[in-house]
Amino acid sequence: MTGPTAGTSSRRAGLEKAVRAYGGCRDTARGLRALRDAGHGPQEKNTRHILRGLAGEGLPVKVEGRSVRYRARQSD
């Protein structure tokens, strides 16, 4: 896979892996750090987009009252 979609899906996979592995709260800054640690060169806007997408799937849950803050979903 090449082009912008390949990079986005790779960054998404990297951020999803970090959320699953480390849990805790996620915001744009922590998402950017996780992606940089995984070897990506992320941008804020793209990182927020990925976090919203993951939240739409129920992986992190949006923290009420915070514009861009999520917490890892608790496993049963």
Side-chain angles (χ1 to χ4, degrees):
M1 184 182 270
T2 60
T5 305
T8 299
S9 64
S10 177
R11 286 188 292 270
R12 181 184 173 92
L15 189 51
E16 181 177 352
K17 182 178 178 180
V19 169
R20 290 185 189 281
Y22 302 115
C25 287
R26 292 278 149 184
D27 58 12
T28 305
R30 191 167 180 207
L32 287 166
R33 276 193 308 274
L35 289 172
R36 283 188 196 108
D37 289 349
H40 299 286
Q43 296 177 343
E44 275 190 48
K45 183 176 181 179
N46 185 256
T47 302
R48 287 192 305 269
H49 177 76
I50 293 170
L51 282 169
R52 281 192 301 272
L54 291 173
E57 295 172 7
L59 179 57
V61 179
K62 188 163 185 334
V63 174
E64 294 299 319
R66 299 295 301 242
S67 58
V68 186
R69 189 161 179 105
Y70 302 87
R71 65 177 167 75
R73 184 181 190 129
Q74 301 296 317
S75 55
D76 297 330

